[in-house]
Amino acid sequence: MKVRVRSGDSFWYYSQLFQIPLNLITDSNPDLNPANLQVGQEIQIPGYIDKFYSIKRGDTFWKLSAIGNMSVDALMLLNQNVNPNQLKAGENILLPVRVTSPIVNGKREYDYHVLQDDLNQLKKIYPFININSVGKSVLGLPIQEIRLGNGPKKVQMNASFHANEWITTSILMSYLNTYLLSLTNSSLIRGISTLPLYNSVELTLIPMVNPDGVNLVLNGPPGEFRESVIKMNNGSTDFNDWKANIRGIDLNNQYLAKWEIEKERKKPKAPSPRDYPGDAPLTEPEAIAMENLARSLPFDRMLAFHTQGKEFYWGYEGFEPPESKRLADEFERVSGYKAVCYIDSHAGYRDWFIQEFRRPGFTIELGKGVNPLPLSQFDEIYEDVLGIFLASLYM
């Protein structure tokens, strides 16, 4: 929601007027100097939208404020060209409306178009989040990064490395929405106050590493790749088993963590719906973007969301630091998921991250069953893993 500065207004006053933490207002207006606001400047108020209301006979600002549980001055701030003493029936004014329910509906087929729509809406309501592209997919789709928070601790989470694991994107986006609602409504999540987390943690999310692959699974093949992907898929137009990117490369087998072992033992020896590590490490733009991100913003910990198994992996070749065990114990406690230190797997993003930076990295295997997991598991997954999302920030 946008308002215009009046004489005597301040960020602190807006914080009191709308009951929004001051630093969220400051972060929503990074180009403005809070100590030198100018009359007429446009200010973004997070956690609110405005909506038109048609004045009815007998309405007053005082009556509307009482009905809507809002300040009279909030109405006057949004309607500076309206004389509150001379309201006319049929006249349109703006009402400030606090957002108290989620924008993200994760319980649906969640392709790149849905992701973009949700990101656009979230950015409008919560302008303190930053949305950037860290690279592009083979087909040129931006690989979107959401970043928020001001703390020294840096936590990275990512989802949909694998195309038919797209439910991980809707889960991660739902956690983001829950977090944003908690921040702007000063509400607790499982008894935890989130504003201290915002002030101590910089959180960065890549909700869809493999947008081309997700779109392929959910929407079918794009024109220019139609022939090649159907051929790789043994002539079938059912892409539910497809894990790779649009070129048939498994993005989570692309990293320099004993890549040559995976190359040797993986059955596919050419581009395939799943498991082909490529002709060399880091050939795919999506994998390169994720490596560049880790190098440009050294994370203190990283969580990669996959499916399925109701377990998570937290070690790699002894490179994991002692902190990883402490985090793994807490993740297991709050989720009921089984903590597994070592598995016989290499060349994954988590493997490389732990090896390269000697910092905690986790692969969280959501749910259980056959991929793509059905949306009927969404609520159970959300509740099980919400504790891991929170623990990764507060630990």
Side-chain angles (χ1 to χ4, degrees):
M1 182 178 74
K2 296 178 180 179
V3 301
R4 293 198 175 275
V5 175
R6 305 167 301 185
S7 179
D9 281 353
S10 66
F11 280 4
W12 179 87
Y13 179 68
Y14 297 146
S15 172
Q16 302 302 302
L17 187 64
F18 295 106
Q19 293 298 294
I20 294 291
L22 176 60
N23 59 339
L24 297 184
I25 294 178
T26 302
D27 291 348
S28 295
N29 299 278
D31 298 328
L32 297 180
N33 181 356
N36 189 32
L37 296 182
Q38 304 296 313
V39 172
Q41 280 182 320
E42 196 170 68
I43 307 294
Q44 299 196 86
I45 306 297
Y48 279 82
I49 59 172
D50 55 36
K51 70 174 185 179
F52 282 108
Y53 173 79
S54 181
I55 294 293
K56 298 178 177 57
R57 187 178 182 86
D59 279 345
T60 67
F61 273 13
W62 291 266
K63 179 180 176 181
L64 292 173
S65 70
I67 294 172
N69 192 27
M70 68 187 81
S71 164
V72 171
D73 200 41
L75 286 173
M76 297 180 72
L77 178 63
L78 261 68
N79 299 279
Q80 295 181 39
N81 296 324
V82 175
N83 185 338
N85 298 313
Q86 296 181 4
L87 298 181
K88 300 174 183 177
E91 183 179 14
N92 285 329
I93 64 168
L94 290 174
L95 300 180
V97 179
R98 182 185 284 273
V99 178
T100 58
S101 58
I103 295 300
V104 173
N105 172 16
K107 297 169 72 171
R108 57 175 167 166
E109 293 188 342
Y110 209 92
D111 65 8
Y112 188 77
H113 176 73
V114 173
L115 172 66
Q116 283 298 108
D117 283 350
D118 281 350
L119 288 177
N120 290 338
Q121 289 191 69
L122 290 175
K123 177 62 177 177
K124 186 176 181 180
I125 299 169
Y126 306 102
F128 54 87
I129 67 174
N130 295 298
I131 301 176
N132 309 290
S133 169
V134 298
K136 291 187 176 180
S137 69
V138 171
L139 290 175
L141 294 177
I143 299 169
Q144 301 285 33
E145 176 208 36
I146 305 105
R147 196 178 296 187
L148 68 158
N150 294 317
K153 185 196 303 181
K154 300 187 188 307
V155 177
Q156 206 281 319
M157 301 181 189
N158 56 75
S160 289
F161 255 94
H162 288 145
N164 65 350
E165 298 174 9
W166 53 263
I167 196 173
T168 59
T169 295
S170 64
I171 288 285
L172 189 55
M173 286 295 293
S174 296
Y175 289 152
L176 171 63
N177 203 165
T178 298
Y179 187 45
L180 295 171
L181 281 167
S182 173
L183 289 169
T184 53
N185 289 284
S186 299
S187 56
L188 305 180
I189 305 177
R190 293 195 174 170
I192 295 171
S193 176
T194 53
L195 190 60
L197 300 180
Y198 181 88
N199 292 330
S200 61
V201 178
E202 183 178 33
L203 174 62
T204 176
L205 309 174
I206 306 290
M208 193 176 287
V209 176
N210 184 6
D212 300 344
V214 169
N215 281 351
L216 174 64
V217 170
L218 291 175
N219 304 325
E224 61 188 290
F225 276 86
R226 180 177 176 81
E227 232 178 89
S228 63
V229 294
I230 291 177
K231 183 178 180 181
M232 275 186 267
N233 205 36
N234 295 318
S236 173
T237 56
D238 180 351
F239 291 92
N240 275 336
D241 291 332
W242 192 281
K243 291 175 65 178
N245 75 348
I246 199 72
R247 287 203 288 230
I249 311 298
D250 190 321
L251 297 177
N252 207 39
N253 276 313
Q254 271 271 288
Y255 293 94
L256 284 163
K258 297 191 174 181
W259 174 87
E260 64 283 353
I261 292 178
E262 295 300 298
K263 173 67 173 176
E264 177 65 26
R265 69 182 179 179
K266 290 295 186 185
K267 289 183 180 179
K269 301 304 177 185
S272 170
R274 56 183 298 145
D275 300 333
Y276 182 61
D279 296 332
L282 294 173
T283 58
E284 302 310 291
E286 301 94 341
I288 293 168
M290 292 301 292
E291 187 197 42
N292 290 341
L293 176 66
R295 293 194 184 281
S296 65
L297 185 70
F299 315 126
D300 293 293
R301 58 193 60 156
M302 186 279 297
L303 284 70
F305 288 85
H306 288 257
T307 58
Q308 33 95 10
K310 288 193 173 184
E311 59 188 15
F312 61 88
Y313 315 129
W314 60 271
Y316 183 69
E317 299 287 292
F319 293 123
E320 68 282 353
E323 181 190 2
S324 297
K325 177 63 164 62
R326 181 174 64 88
L327 286 164
D329 288 345
E330 181 70 357
F331 289 0
E332 189 174 52
R333 183 188 73 81
V334 298
S335 67
Y337 277 31
K338 181 182 177 182
V340 179
C341 185
Y342 299 129
I343 57 171
D344 184 19
S345 178
H346 306 283
Y349 189 61
R350 173 190 61 90
D351 307 326
W352 169 79
F353 177 82
I354 295 172
Q355 172 188 280
E356 185 73 12
F357 299 105
R358 307 298 202 269
R359 293 174 183 154
F362 302 86
T363 299
I364 317 293
E365 298 284 359
L366 309 182
K368 209 164 190 177
V370 177
N371 290 330
L373 292 180
L375 285 169
S376 59
Q377 288 195 30
F378 181 92
D379 289 340
E380 180 182 343
I381 292 170
Y382 177 93
E383 292 299 331
D384 285 347
V385 183
L386 178 58
I388 292 179
F389 174 84
L390 293 169
S392 71
L393 303 180
Y394 67 67
M395 286 287 287

